[in-house]
Amino acid sequence: MAKLLTEMLKGTLEGIILASLSGRPAYGYEITARLREQGFSDIAEGTVYALLIRMEKRGLVDVEKVPSEKGPPRKVHSLNSQGREYLEEFWRTWSFLAERLDQLRERGGE
């Protein structure tokens, strides 16, 4: 099951991170910790950082460097208007897929 979960997460992790940021801005480690608390225990911190960089380049998140007491400044990510639009599209697509999968599970391939 772990391999299947990993494969399925690949297509949805970007939306999951944006959903996490919709509540409030956060830095990479904080996002990873939040997701792990919510049951996404196998998510690698490096994967989250790589996706944050990609989302920053695509203009889905804004980044602010904030001083840290424990080292170099932290890059705090926040959802911007383009990111919110993307997240809305992600949820619409997710709902569409979830409904179709539920139909298949209930009725089989009739």
Side-chain angles (χ1 to χ4, degrees):
M1 182 175 138
K3 186 174 180 178
L4 180 59
L5 179 62
T6 300
E7 291 298 319
M8 293 178 85
L9 276 174
K10 283 182 182 175
T12 57
L13 193 51
E14 199 171 82
I16 291 168
I17 291 171
L18 290 174
S20 176
L21 289 173
S22 69
R24 62 180 172 88
Y27 53 94
Y29 178 79
E30 188 178 16
I31 294 167
T32 305
R34 276 190 212 167
L35 295 177
R36 286 179 178 162
E37 287 174 9
Q38 294 174 351
F40 297 102
S41 56
D42 291 337
I43 290 179
E45 195 174 337
T47 301
V48 171
Y49 281 110
L51 286 172
L52 285 169
I53 290 169
R54 189 164 76 190
M55 289 188 287
E56 182 182 351
K57 287 180 180 175
R58 291 176 55 202
L60 300 176
V61 296
D62 291 332
V63 178
E64 179 183 358
K65 286 191 176 182
V66 176
S68 170
E69 296 174 5
K70 298 181 180 177
R74 291 180 172 157
K75 290 176 73 173
V76 175
H77 299 78
S78 60
L79 202 57
N80 60 26
S81 60
Q82 191 172 337
R84 287 187 204 293
E85 288 176 25
Y86 183 90
L87 181 59
E88 288 173 16
E89 178 65 26
F90 171 83
W91 286 129
R92 280 192 295 275
T93 303
W94 180 262
S95 295
F96 173 82
L97 291 173
E99 287 173 19
R100 299 311 173 277
L101 289 170
D102 282 344
Q103 288 174 359
L104 276 172
R105 183 174 45 196
E106 292 170 11
R107 297 185 214 157
E110 296 177 13

